[in-house]
Structure formats: structure tokens, C-alpha cells
Amino acid sequence: MSDQAAKLRQKITGLHNQYHAKTIAIVSGKGGVGKSNIALNFSLSLANKGKKVLLFDLDIGMGNIDILLGKSSRYSIINMFENNLSIYDIIEPGPNSLFYIAGGSGQDHIFYLDQDRLNYFLEQLELLFRQYDYIIFDMGAGVTRETIHYILAVDECILVTTPEPTSMTDAYSMVKHILSQQSIHFHLIINRSKNEKQGIDIMNRMSSAIKRFLHHDITPLGTIPDDESVVEAVINQQPFILHNPKSKASKAIEQVTKQFLGEAPRPKENSGFLSKLKRLITER
């Protein structure tokens, strides 16, 4: 076992149920809306505020969290099964006390687990629920027969869209598809808005449409402006809140995080993510 894995195991042994992670899926209706960048910087913003966060890249075949961080990850989730590793072995340290699990080629195997591997995966995940405040899943764009199980199992979803009509249409269709199977709490982030007025207008239109036609509330979290500093950060393989903390996008993601943390907590028992995921996968 690596030194890093040993240290993580020691940490969790001493926590004595201090934490019980909330699970969040960050989703989008289509690709190219900046979802993974939002997932990374939102996770970092939570970590900067003292929250213990694990970012789990579940974007099939397109996982790029490690690329956005400028890192070369030793392992992905696939290695846990192929090399008989513990989940501690595949967790990578990121900046500012953020931890992440990288996506990798062949990542789709995680959606086709046999019973033994599924049980092992869930047992390993269970160990982490007492270590983190949040386990955040960066899902692939859209929704498929395989990824829907993970989305339906989480406590909450954060939907990322842009003002482009195709992005908004696909985002609405995705919410409709998910809600047709199960009620789940959605948050909304508008990325790459031309200005705050446009972002707020899009949020209001999306929220109204979902309320009117799907009879479901969606919680607006905020807008992230179209900002050249974000492009520069991606080129430099740095999260934009670290590359330029004073940029418009960085200030906006900090405001989104404050909004998220400032919401009145919804009453719930311990997360049922593991039991729900097992049931959803075995019933497919």
C-alpha cells in the first residue's frame, strides 16, 4: 500500500463518524458547457471554506479533472478492480486539501459491474462517507442507461447550462427525463453568461419552465460570466480560482458556493446513496 493510502486510512480510523458525506452529481444536458471546470472550481471553493471534499470523475471516456489540474494521475477507478487496490490507493491529492479520483480510459466498465465487483465498490465507497463532507461526482454530459443509476442515487444534482438555446433545451430535456423516474433536488448554474442580467434572465426562464411544465422547483445558485481568464487557466492547466482569484469567474464561483452553503438544510436521514445505487444497478 502506498504511503498516501496509509495516511488516508489513518485519517479515517480516527474520525469516529465525524462526517457523513452528502453526494452531489454535477450534470449537463450537452457537452461543451464547462461542466467539469465548474465541478472542479466549485469543489475547490468548498475546500477553501474548510469542507472536506472528494471529487470523483465519472465522465465516461472524457474524464479530464486531472488534465485541468495539470496532473498525471497514477490510477483511475478501473485500476481499483484490475489491480485489486483499495479506494485509498486511487485517491489523488489536489490543491488546497481537495482530493479527487481520476477518470480513465475504459471508465465505462464501472457501469457494468458484476455482483462481486459491485459489492466491493460499495464497500470501498462506504469507507469514505465518514471522511468527507461532500463526495461530488462529475458526470458525463447527458444521461444514459448506465449513468442514470448514479444520478438517481445522489442526494442532489447541480445542473450546468449556458445561455445557448441548444444547451438550455438539452438541459431541460435531461431534467425531464430524470424527474420522470424519481424526484430529486436540482440546483442550477448558468455558465458563460454575457453579463449578470443575461444570466439571471436565463435562470428565471429555466426555473419557470421546469416549475410550470414539470411541476418541480429548481434552486438557482448563480451565474458564471464568460471570462477570458477561464480560458487562460485551462491553457495553463490550473483551476481558474487559483490562476486568478480576483477574476470575474472566480468571484462568481465563490458567490455560488456561499449561496449553496447558505441554503437552509433540507431534512434528511443519512445519505441512502449506497443502498439506492445497489438497488438501481441490480434492478436494471
PDB file of all heavy atoms in Angstrom, residues 220-255:
ATOM      1  N   PRO A 220     -31.895  28.143  -8.067  1.00  0.00           N
ATOM      2  CA  PRO A 220     -30.823  28.882  -8.749  1.00  0.00           C
ATOM      3  C   PRO A 220     -29.637  29.102  -7.797  1.00  0.00           C
ATOM      4  O   PRO A 220     -29.821  29.547  -6.670  1.00  0.00           O
ATOM      5  CB  PRO A 220     -31.481  30.223  -9.116  1.00  0.00           C
ATOM      6  CG  PRO A 220     -32.956  29.991  -8.989  1.00  0.00           C
ATOM      7  CD  PRO A 220     -33.114  28.960  -7.915  1.00  0.00           C
ATOM      8  N   LEU A 221     -28.443  28.783  -8.278  1.00  0.00           N
ATOM      9  CA  LEU A 221     -27.244  29.015  -7.470  1.00  0.00           C
ATOM     10  C   LEU A 221     -26.477  30.246  -7.927  1.00  0.00           C
ATOM     11  O   LEU A 221     -25.781  30.866  -7.125  1.00  0.00           O
ATOM     12  CB  LEU A 221     -26.309  27.795  -7.530  1.00  0.00           C
ATOM     13  CG  LEU A 221     -26.642  26.613  -6.626  1.00  0.00           C
ATOM     14  CD1 LEU A 221     -25.564  25.543  -6.750  1.00  0.00           C
ATOM     15  CD2 LEU A 221     -26.794  27.043  -5.176  1.00  0.00           C
ATOM     16  N   GLY A 222     -26.563  30.591  -9.206  1.00  0.00           N
ATOM     17  CA  GLY A 222     -25.851  31.761  -9.674  1.00  0.00           C
ATOM     18  C   GLY A 222     -25.374  31.617 -11.103  1.00  0.00           C
ATOM     19  O   GLY A 222     -25.596  30.596 -11.764  1.00  0.00           O
ATOM     20  N   THR A 223     -24.706  32.647 -11.573  1.00  0.00           N
ATOM     21  CA  THR A 223     -24.202  32.677 -12.942  1.00  0.00           C
ATOM     22  C   THR A 223     -22.687  32.886 -12.931  1.00  0.00           C
ATOM     23  O   THR A 223     -22.151  33.572 -12.069  1.00  0.00           O
ATOM     24  CB  THR A 223     -24.856  33.817 -13.754  1.00  0.00           C
ATOM     25  OG1 THR A 223     -24.405  35.080 -13.246  1.00  0.00           O
ATOM     26  CG2 THR A 223     -26.367  33.750 -13.641  1.00  0.00           C
ATOM     27  N   ILE A 224     -22.026  32.272 -13.897  1.00  0.00           N
ATOM     28  CA  ILE A 224     -20.582  32.435 -14.082  1.00  0.00           C
ATOM     29  C   ILE A 224     -20.381  33.165 -15.411  1.00  0.00           C
ATOM     30  O   ILE A 224     -20.799  32.664 -16.458  1.00  0.00           O
ATOM     31  CB  ILE A 224     -19.848  31.079 -14.113  1.00  0.00           C
ATOM     32  CG1 ILE A 224     -20.277  30.193 -12.944  1.00  0.00           C
ATOM     33  CG2 ILE A 224     -18.334  31.306 -14.110  1.00  0.00           C
ATOM     34  CD1 ILE A 224     -19.964  30.731 -11.577  1.00  0.00           C
ATOM     35  N   PRO A 225     -19.757  34.340 -15.391  1.00  0.00           N
ATOM     36  CA  PRO A 225     -19.624  35.112 -16.635  1.00  0.00           C
ATOM     37  C   PRO A 225     -18.630  34.494 -17.601  1.00  0.00           C
ATOM     38  O   PRO A 225     -17.718  33.763 -17.209  1.00  0.00           O
ATOM     39  CB  PRO A 225     -19.121  36.476 -16.139  1.00  0.00           C
ATOM     40  CG  PRO A 225     -18.391  36.166 -14.868  1.00  0.00           C
ATOM     41  CD  PRO A 225     -19.149  35.038 -14.236  1.00  0.00           C
ATOM     42  N   ASP A 226     -18.818  34.794 -18.868  1.00  0.00           N
ATOM     43  CA  ASP A 226     -17.842  34.417 -19.887  1.00  0.00           C
ATOM     44  C   ASP A 226     -16.586  35.251 -19.630  1.00  0.00           C
ATOM     45  O   ASP A 226     -16.615  36.474 -19.732  1.00  0.00           O
ATOM     46  CB  ASP A 226     -18.423  34.715 -21.268  1.00  0.00           C
ATOM     47  CG  ASP A 226     -17.660  34.022 -22.378  1.00  0.00           C
ATOM     48  OD1 ASP A 226     -16.757  33.220 -22.073  1.00  0.00           O
ATOM     49  OD2 ASP A 226     -17.972  34.295 -23.552  1.00  0.00           O
ATOM     50  N   ASP A 227     -15.501  34.602 -19.282  1.00  0.00           N
ATOM     51  CA  ASP A 227     -14.324  35.295 -18.763  1.00  0.00           C
ATOM     52  C   ASP A 227     -13.067  34.731 -19.421  1.00  0.00           C
ATOM     53  O   ASP A 227     -12.825  33.518 -19.366  1.00  0.00           O
ATOM     54  CB  ASP A 227     -14.276  35.105 -17.236  1.00  0.00           C
ATOM     55  CG  ASP A 227     -13.212  35.944 -16.558  1.00  0.00           C
ATOM     56  OD1 ASP A 227     -12.281  36.413 -17.243  1.00  0.00           O
ATOM     57  OD2 ASP A 227     -13.307  36.133 -15.322  1.00  0.00           O
ATOM     58  N   GLU A 228     -12.280  35.597 -20.030  1.00  0.00           N
ATOM     59  CA  GLU A 228     -11.063  35.173 -20.711  1.00  0.00           C
ATOM     60  C   GLU A 228     -10.082  34.505 -19.754  1.00  0.00           C
ATOM     61  O   GLU A 228      -9.285  33.649 -20.157  1.00  0.00           O
ATOM     62  CB  GLU A 228     -10.392  36.382 -21.385  1.00  0.00           C
ATOM     63  CG  GLU A 228      -9.191  36.035 -22.243  1.00  0.00           C
ATOM     64  CD  GLU A 228      -9.541  35.147 -23.427  1.00  0.00           C
ATOM     65  OE1 GLU A 228     -10.683  35.254 -23.935  1.00  0.00           O
ATOM     66  OE2 GLU A 228      -8.685  34.338 -23.841  1.00  0.00           O
ATOM     67  N   SER A 229     -10.134  34.865 -18.485  1.00  0.00           N
ATOM     68  CA  SER A 229      -9.217  34.272 -17.503  1.00  0.00           C
ATOM     69  C   SER A 229      -9.469  32.778 -17.329  1.00  0.00           C
ATOM     70  O   SER A 229      -8.564  32.023 -16.959  1.00  0.00           O
ATOM     71  CB  SER A 229      -9.327  34.985 -16.152  1.00  0.00           C
ATOM     72  OG  SER A 229     -10.575  34.729 -15.538  1.00  0.00           O
ATOM     73  N   VAL A 230     -10.696  32.325 -17.598  1.00  0.00           N
ATOM     74  CA  VAL A 230     -11.004  30.896 -17.525  1.00  0.00           C
ATOM     75  C   VAL A 230     -10.268  30.154 -18.637  1.00  0.00           C
ATOM     76  O   VAL A 230      -9.688  29.087 -18.415  1.00  0.00           O
ATOM     77  CB  VAL A 230     -12.529  30.652 -17.624  1.00  0.00           C
ATOM     78  CG1 VAL A 230     -12.833  29.157 -17.682  1.00  0.00           C
ATOM     79  CG2 VAL A 230     -13.249  31.292 -16.448  1.00  0.00           C
ATOM     80  N   VAL A 231     -10.275  30.721 -19.835  1.00  0.00           N
ATOM     81  CA  VAL A 231      -9.550  30.126 -20.963  1.00  0.00           C
ATOM     82  C   VAL A 231      -8.059  30.067 -20.653  1.00  0.00           C
ATOM     83  O   VAL A 231      -7.388  29.052 -20.898  1.00  0.00           O
ATOM     84  CB  VAL A 231      -9.795  30.933 -22.253  1.00  0.00           C
ATOM     85  CG1 VAL A 231      -9.001  30.346 -23.415  1.00  0.00           C
ATOM     86  CG2 VAL A 231     -11.288  30.965 -22.580  1.00  0.00           C
ATOM     87  N   GLU A 232      -7.532  31.139 -20.103  1.00  0.00           N
ATOM     88  CA  GLU A 232      -6.109  31.183 -19.743  1.00  0.00           C
ATOM     89  C   GLU A 232      -5.779  30.119 -18.703  1.00  0.00           C
ATOM     90  O   GLU A 232      -4.728  29.462 -18.773  1.00  0.00           O
ATOM     91  CB  GLU A 232      -5.757  32.569 -19.210  1.00  0.00           C
ATOM     92  CG  GLU A 232      -5.857  33.683 -20.241  1.00  0.00           C
ATOM     93  CD  GLU A 232      -5.699  35.057 -19.618  1.00  0.00           C
ATOM     94  OE1 GLU A 232      -5.528  35.134 -18.379  1.00  0.00           O
ATOM     95  OE2 GLU A 232      -5.751  36.058 -20.363  1.00  0.00           O
ATOM     96  N   ALA A 233      -6.681  29.936 -17.743  1.00  0.00           N
ATOM     97  CA  ALA A 233      -6.454  28.943 -16.698  1.00  0.00           C
ATOM     98  C   ALA A 233      -6.429  27.532 -17.270  1.00  0.00           C
ATOM     99  O   ALA A 233      -5.589  26.710 -16.891  1.00  0.00           O
ATOM    100  CB  ALA A 233      -7.542  29.057 -15.625  1.00  0.00           C
ATOM    101  N   VAL A 234      -7.338  27.247 -18.194  1.00  0.00           N
ATOM    102  CA  VAL A 234      -7.379  25.924 -18.824  1.00  0.00           C
ATOM    103  C   VAL A 234      -6.095  25.674 -19.611  1.00  0.00           C
ATOM    104  O   VAL A 234      -5.514  24.579 -19.542  1.00  0.00           O
ATOM    105  CB  VAL A 234      -8.615  25.799 -19.747  1.00  0.00           C
ATOM    106  CG1 VAL A 234      -8.550  24.505 -20.549  1.00  0.00           C
ATOM    107  CG2 VAL A 234      -9.896  25.835 -18.923  1.00  0.00           C
ATOM    108  N   ILE A 235      -5.645  26.674 -20.340  1.00  0.00           N
ATOM    109  CA  ILE A 235      -4.401  26.532 -21.106  1.00  0.00           C
ATOM    110  C   ILE A 235      -3.227  26.259 -20.176  1.00  0.00           C
ATOM    111  O   ILE A 235      -2.341  25.455 -20.484  1.00  0.00           O
ATOM    112  CB  ILE A 235      -4.152  27.799 -21.954  1.00  0.00           C
ATOM    113  CG1 ILE A 235      -5.202  27.912 -23.058  1.00  0.00           C
ATOM    114  CG2 ILE A 235      -2.744  27.782 -22.544  1.00  0.00           C
ATOM    115  CD1 ILE A 235      -5.149  29.206 -23.822  1.00  0.00           C
ATOM    116  N   ASN A 236      -3.232  26.907 -19.014  1.00  0.00           N
ATOM    117  CA  ASN A 236      -2.158  26.727 -18.039  1.00  0.00           C
ATOM    118  C   ASN A 236      -2.400  25.545 -17.107  1.00  0.00           C
ATOM    119  O   ASN A 236      -1.603  25.316 -16.194  1.00  0.00           O
ATOM    120  CB  ASN A 236      -1.987  28.004 -17.209  1.00  0.00           C
ATOM    121  CG  ASN A 236      -1.305  29.115 -17.970  1.00  0.00           C
ATOM    122  OD1 ASN A 236      -0.085  29.163 -18.065  1.00  0.00           O
ATOM    123  ND2 ASN A 236      -2.096  30.018 -18.549  1.00  0.00           N
ATOM    124  N   GLN A 237      -3.508  24.821 -17.349  1.00  0.00           N
ATOM    125  CA  GLN A 237      -3.857  23.638 -16.559  1.00  0.00           C
ATOM    126  C   GLN A 237      -3.905  23.955 -15.061  1.00  0.00           C
ATOM    127  O   GLN A 237      -3.300  23.279 -14.235  1.00  0.00           O
ATOM    128  CB  GLN A 237      -2.895  22.483 -16.842  1.00  0.00           C
ATOM    129  CG  GLN A 237      -3.010  21.951 -18.263  1.00  0.00           C
ATOM    130  CD  GLN A 237      -2.109  20.766 -18.505  1.00  0.00           C
ATOM    131  OE1 GLN A 237      -0.929  20.919 -18.798  1.00  0.00           O
ATOM    132  NE2 GLN A 237      -2.670  19.561 -18.359  1.00  0.00           N
ATOM    133  N   GLN A 238      -4.655  25.001 -14.764  1.00  0.00           N
ATOM    134  CA  GLN A 238      -4.880  25.412 -13.387  1.00  0.00           C
ATOM    135  C   GLN A 238      -6.359  25.707 -13.195  1.00  0.00           C
ATOM    136  O   GLN A 238      -7.010  26.226 -14.102  1.00  0.00           O
ATOM    137  CB  GLN A 238      -4.095  26.684 -13.050  1.00  0.00           C
ATOM    138  CG  GLN A 238      -2.663  26.496 -12.625  1.00  0.00           C
ATOM    139  CD  GLN A 238      -2.105  27.799 -12.072  1.00  0.00           C
ATOM    140  OE1 GLN A 238      -2.170  28.847 -12.716  1.00  0.00           O
ATOM    141  NE2 GLN A 238      -1.563  27.742 -10.876  1.00  0.00           N
ATOM    142  N   PRO A 239      -6.923  25.399 -12.023  1.00  0.00           N
ATOM    143  CA  PRO A 239      -8.291  25.845 -11.728  1.00  0.00           C
ATOM    144  C   PRO A 239      -8.327  27.376 -11.782  1.00  0.00           C
ATOM    145  O   PRO A 239      -7.393  28.039 -11.323  1.00  0.00           O
ATOM    146  CB  PRO A 239      -8.529  25.341 -10.297  1.00  0.00           C
ATOM    147  CG  PRO A 239      -7.552  24.227 -10.127  1.00  0.00           C
ATOM    148  CD  PRO A 239      -6.349  24.604 -10.922  1.00  0.00           C
ATOM    149  N   PHE A 240      -9.398  27.931 -12.314  1.00  0.00           N
ATOM    150  CA  PHE A 240      -9.391  29.379 -12.517  1.00  0.00           C
ATOM    151  C   PHE A 240      -9.432  30.163 -11.212  1.00  0.00           C
ATOM    152  O   PHE A 240      -8.955  31.297 -11.148  1.00  0.00           O
ATOM    153  CB  PHE A 240     -10.495  29.828 -13.488  1.00  0.00           C
ATOM    154  CG  PHE A 240     -11.915  29.525 -13.096  1.00  0.00           C
ATOM    155  CD1 PHE A 240     -12.578  30.269 -12.138  1.00  0.00           C
ATOM    156  CD2 PHE A 240     -12.624  28.502 -13.736  1.00  0.00           C
ATOM    157  CE1 PHE A 240     -13.904  30.014 -11.807  1.00  0.00           C
ATOM    158  CE2 PHE A 240     -13.953  28.230 -13.416  1.00  0.00           C
ATOM    159  CZ  PHE A 240     -14.592  28.984 -12.443  1.00  0.00           C
ATOM    160  N   ILE A 241      -9.951  29.555 -10.127  1.00  0.00           N
ATOM    161  CA  ILE A 241      -9.953  30.305  -8.864  1.00  0.00           C
ATOM    162  C   ILE A 241      -8.554  30.375  -8.250  1.00  0.00           C
ATOM    163  O   ILE A 241      -8.310  31.207  -7.376  1.00  0.00           O
ATOM    164  CB  ILE A 241     -10.960  29.740  -7.837  1.00  0.00           C
ATOM    165  CG1 ILE A 241     -10.602  28.326  -7.398  1.00  0.00           C
ATOM    166  CG2 ILE A 241     -12.375  29.786  -8.373  1.00  0.00           C
ATOM    167  CD1 ILE A 241     -11.449  27.854  -6.215  1.00  0.00           C
ATOM    168  N   LEU A 242      -7.650  29.526  -8.712  1.00  0.00           N
ATOM    169  CA  LEU A 242      -6.254  29.609  -8.264  1.00  0.00           C
ATOM    170  C   LEU A 242      -5.419  30.430  -9.250  1.00  0.00           C
ATOM    171  O   LEU A 242      -4.512  31.157  -8.848  1.00  0.00           O
ATOM    172  CB  LEU A 242      -5.655  28.208  -8.126  1.00  0.00           C
ATOM    173  CG  LEU A 242      -6.320  27.272  -7.114  1.00  0.00           C
ATOM    174  CD1 LEU A 242      -5.568  25.950  -7.043  1.00  0.00           C
ATOM    175  CD2 LEU A 242      -6.397  27.916  -5.731  1.00  0.00           C
ATOM    176  N   HIS A 243      -5.742  30.308 -10.527  1.00  0.00           N
ATOM    177  CA  HIS A 243      -4.991  31.030 -11.560  1.00  0.00           C
ATOM    178  C   HIS A 243      -5.176  32.537 -11.405  1.00  0.00           C
ATOM    179  O   HIS A 243      -4.209  33.306 -11.529  1.00  0.00           O
ATOM    180  CB  HIS A 243      -5.460  30.572 -12.938  1.00  0.00           C
ATOM    181  CG  HIS A 243      -4.775  31.268 -14.065  1.00  0.00           C
ATOM    182  ND1 HIS A 243      -3.460  31.025 -14.416  1.00  0.00           N
ATOM    183  CD2 HIS A 243      -5.221  32.231 -14.940  1.00  0.00           C
ATOM    184  CE1 HIS A 243      -3.128  31.775 -15.446  1.00  0.00           C
ATOM    185  NE2 HIS A 243      -4.169  32.521 -15.773  1.00  0.00           N
ATOM    186  N   ASN A 244      -6.404  32.960 -11.159  1.00  0.00           N
ATOM    187  CA  ASN A 244      -6.691  34.383 -10.977  1.00  0.00           C
ATOM    188  C   ASN A 244      -7.861  34.537 -10.013  1.00  0.00           C
ATOM    189  O   ASN A 244      -9.012  34.648 -10.435  1.00  0.00           O
ATOM    190  CB  ASN A 244      -7.022  35.042 -12.327  1.00  0.00           C
ATOM    191  CG  ASN A 244      -7.172  36.547 -12.219  1.00  0.00           C
ATOM    192  OD1 ASN A 244      -7.181  37.116 -11.119  1.00  0.00           O
ATOM    193  ND2 ASN A 244      -7.298  37.221 -13.359  1.00  0.00           N
ATOM    194  N   PRO A 245      -7.573  34.552  -8.710  1.00  0.00           N
ATOM    195  CA  PRO A 245      -8.645  34.616  -7.701  1.00  0.00           C
ATOM    196  C   PRO A 245      -9.513  35.864  -7.793  1.00  0.00           C
ATOM    197  O   PRO A 245     -10.642  35.864  -7.297  1.00  0.00           O
ATOM    198  CB  PRO A 245      -7.875  34.590  -6.370  1.00  0.00           C
ATOM    199  CG  PRO A 245      -6.541  34.016  -6.699  1.00  0.00           C
ATOM    200  CD  PRO A 245      -6.237  34.470  -8.092  1.00  0.00           C
ATOM    201  N   LYS A 246      -8.997  36.914  -8.421  1.00  0.00           N
ATOM    202  CA  LYS A 246      -9.750  38.170  -8.492  1.00  0.00           C
ATOM    203  C   LYS A 246     -10.538  38.313  -9.789  1.00  0.00           C
ATOM    204  O   LYS A 246     -11.173  39.342 -10.017  1.00  0.00           O
ATOM    205  CB  LYS A 246      -8.796  39.353  -8.334  1.00  0.00           C
ATOM    206  CG  LYS A 246      -8.130  39.412  -6.965  1.00  0.00           C
ATOM    207  CD  LYS A 246      -7.243  40.644  -6.830  1.00  0.00           C
ATOM    208  CE  LYS A 246      -6.605  40.701  -5.441  1.00  0.00           C
ATOM    209  NZ  LYS A 246      -5.731  41.904  -5.295  1.00  0.00           N
ATOM    210  N   SER A 247     -10.501  37.296 -10.641  1.00  0.00           N
ATOM    211  CA  SER A 247     -11.241  37.375 -11.904  1.00  0.00           C
ATOM    212  C   SER A 247     -12.741  37.346 -11.652  1.00  0.00           C
ATOM    213  O   SER A 247     -13.213  36.939 -10.583  1.00  0.00           O
ATOM    214  CB  SER A 247     -10.851  36.215 -12.820  1.00  0.00           C
ATOM    215  OG  SER A 247     -11.336  34.989 -12.298  1.00  0.00           O
ATOM    216  N   LYS A 248     -13.507  37.759 -12.654  1.00  0.00           N
ATOM    217  CA  LYS A 248     -14.969  37.756 -12.521  1.00  0.00           C
ATOM    218  C   LYS A 248     -15.504  36.347 -12.292  1.00  0.00           C
ATOM    219  O   LYS A 248     -16.410  36.141 -11.480  1.00  0.00           O
ATOM    220  CB  LYS A 248     -15.603  38.358 -13.781  1.00  0.00           C
ATOM    221  CG  LYS A 248     -15.326  39.841 -13.972  1.00  0.00           C
ATOM    222  CD  LYS A 248     -15.980  40.349 -15.250  1.00  0.00           C
ATOM    223  CE  LYS A 248     -15.701  41.833 -15.465  1.00  0.00           C
ATOM    224  NZ  LYS A 248     -16.318  42.340 -16.734  1.00  0.00           N
ATOM    225  N   ALA A 249     -14.927  35.378 -13.010  1.00  0.00           N
ATOM    226  CA  ALA A 249     -15.394  33.992 -12.857  1.00  0.00           C
ATOM    227  C   ALA A 249     -15.080  33.461 -11.465  1.00  0.00           C
ATOM    228  O   ALA A 249     -15.908  32.757 -10.856  1.00  0.00           O
ATOM    229  CB  ALA A 249     -14.745  33.105 -13.919  1.00  0.00           C
ATOM    230  N   SER A 250     -13.911  33.792 -10.934  1.00  0.00           N
ATOM    231  CA  SER A 250     -13.532  33.323  -9.599  1.00  0.00           C
ATOM    232  C   SER A 250     -14.450  33.907  -8.535  1.00  0.00           C
ATOM    233  O   SER A 250     -14.901  33.198  -7.626  1.00  0.00           O
ATOM    234  CB  SER A 250     -12.074  33.703  -9.297  1.00  0.00           C
ATOM    235  OG  SER A 250     -11.193  33.063 -10.183  1.00  0.00           O
ATOM    236  N   LYS A 251     -14.731  35.196  -8.641  1.00  0.00           N
ATOM    237  CA  LYS A 251     -15.643  35.826  -7.680  1.00  0.00           C
ATOM    238  C   LYS A 251     -17.042  35.224  -7.789  1.00  0.00           C
ATOM    239  O   LYS A 251     -17.731  35.036  -6.781  1.00  0.00           O
ATOM    240  CB  LYS A 251     -15.690  37.330  -7.919  1.00  0.00           C
ATOM    241  CG  LYS A 251     -14.386  38.043  -7.566  1.00  0.00           C
ATOM    242  CD  LYS A 251     -14.471  39.538  -7.876  1.00  0.00           C
ATOM    243  CE  LYS A 251     -13.171  40.249  -7.509  1.00  0.00           C
ATOM    244  NZ  LYS A 251     -13.222  41.699  -7.856  1.00  0.00           N
ATOM    245  N   ALA A 252     -17.432  34.890  -9.013  1.00  0.00           N
ATOM    246  CA  ALA A 252     -18.766  34.322  -9.220  1.00  0.00           C
ATOM    247  C   ALA A 252     -18.880  32.927  -8.614  1.00  0.00           C
ATOM    248  O   ALA A 252     -19.900  32.596  -7.999  1.00  0.00           O
ATOM    249  CB  ALA A 252     -19.093  34.293 -10.714  1.00  0.00           C
ATOM    250  N   ILE A 253     -17.850  32.080  -8.795  1.00  0.00           N
ATOM    251  CA  ILE A 253     -17.934  30.716  -8.249  1.00  0.00           C
ATOM    252  C   ILE A 253     -17.902  30.760  -6.730  1.00  0.00           C
ATOM    253  O   ILE A 253     -18.527  29.928  -6.060  1.00  0.00           O
ATOM    254  CB  ILE A 253     -16.805  29.814  -8.811  1.00  0.00           C
ATOM    255  CG1 ILE A 253     -17.182  28.327  -8.668  1.00  0.00           C
ATOM    256  CG2 ILE A 253     -15.478  30.071  -8.126  1.00  0.00           C
ATOM    257  CD1 ILE A 253     -18.263  27.853  -9.582  1.00  0.00           C
ATOM    258  N   GLU A 254     -17.198  31.740  -6.154  1.00  0.00           N
ATOM    259  CA  GLU A 254     -17.200  31.898  -4.702  1.00  0.00           C
ATOM    260  C   GLU A 254     -18.603  32.280  -4.220  1.00  0.00           C
ATOM    261  O   GLU A 254     -19.074  31.796  -3.186  1.00  0.00           O
ATOM    262  CB  GLU A 254     -16.191  32.970  -4.282  1.00  0.00           C
ATOM    263  CG  GLU A 254     -14.736  32.589  -4.505  1.00  0.00           C
ATOM    264  CD  GLU A 254     -14.257  31.520  -3.531  1.00  0.00           C
ATOM    265  OE1 GLU A 254     -15.000  31.183  -2.587  1.00  0.00           O
ATOM    266  OE2 GLU A 254     -13.150  31.000  -3.730  1.00  0.00           O
ATOM    267  N   GLN A 255     -19.272  33.141  -4.980  1.00  0.00           N
ATOM    268  CA  GLN A 255     -20.635  33.529  -4.620  1.00  0.00           C
ATOM    269  C   GLN A 255     -21.596  32.346  -4.745  1.00  0.00           C
ATOM    270  O   GLN A 255     -22.496  32.163  -3.914  1.00  0.00           O
ATOM    271  CB  GLN A 255     -21.102  34.679  -5.511  1.00  0.00           C
ATOM    272  CG  GLN A 255     -22.424  35.304  -5.098  1.00  0.00           C
ATOM    273  CD  GLN A 255     -22.397  35.829  -3.672  1.00  0.00           C
ATOM    274  OE1 GLN A 255     -21.426  36.470  -3.263  1.00  0.00           O
ATOM    275  NE2 GLN A 255     -23.446  35.556  -2.910  1.00  0.00           N
TER     276      GLN A 255
END
